[in-house]
């Protein structure tokens, strides 16, 4: 829900400043996917680490932030390439 709200706010701003609906769609879709993945990874990784007998409090924060940085960029670039192939 937060991803949709933030994507709507940012998308409105981007659309009125750039006027390009494809760029707006790329950014909105990327935000929604990135925030959904962040929620899943942030909730699921400590459970997996606990099952592996690793202290989740120590290992979660660096692993989650690094993974989300990398995956966030991959989501954005993949979404952009995919939408540009469809519409341009």
């Amino acid at each position: 829900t937060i991803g949709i709200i933030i994507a709507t706010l940012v998308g409105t701003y981007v659309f009125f400043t750039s006027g390009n609906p494809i760029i707006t769609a790329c950014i909105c879709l990327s935000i929604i996917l990135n925030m959904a993945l962040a929620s899943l990874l942030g909730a699921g990784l400590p459970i997996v680490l606990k099952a592996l007998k690793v202290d989740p409090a120590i290992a979660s924060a660096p692993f989650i932030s690094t993974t989300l940085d990398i995956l966030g960029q991959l989501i954005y670039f993949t979404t952009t390439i995919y939408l540009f192939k469809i519409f341009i």
Side-chain angles (χ1 to χ4, degrees):
T1 305
I2 293 173
I4 293 170
I5 293 169
I6 291 175
T8 303
L9 293 173
V10 172
T12 303
Y13 175 77
V14 169
F15 181 74
F16 285 120
T17 55
S18 73
N20 191 338
I22 298 171
I23 293 173
T24 303
C26 291
I27 292 172
C28 288
L29 190 58
S30 297
I31 289 173
I32 292 169
L33 291 173
N34 196 8
M35 292 190 86
L37 181 67
S39 297
L40 290 173
L41 191 62
L45 187 64
I47 295 169
V48 171
L49 290 175
K50 188 174 181 180
L52 294 173
K53 306 281 192 246
V54 177
D55 186 15
I58 295 173
S60 291
F63 188 72
I64 289 173
S65 62
T66 304
T67 305
L68 287 177
D69 287 343
I70 294 168
L71 291 177
Q73 291 295 315
L74 288 173
I75 288 170
Y76 175 70
F77 291 135
T78 305
T79 305
T80 303
I81 289 170
Y82 181 73
L83 289 177
F84 271 86
K85 280 184 180 180
I86 291 174
F87 294 111
I88 294 182

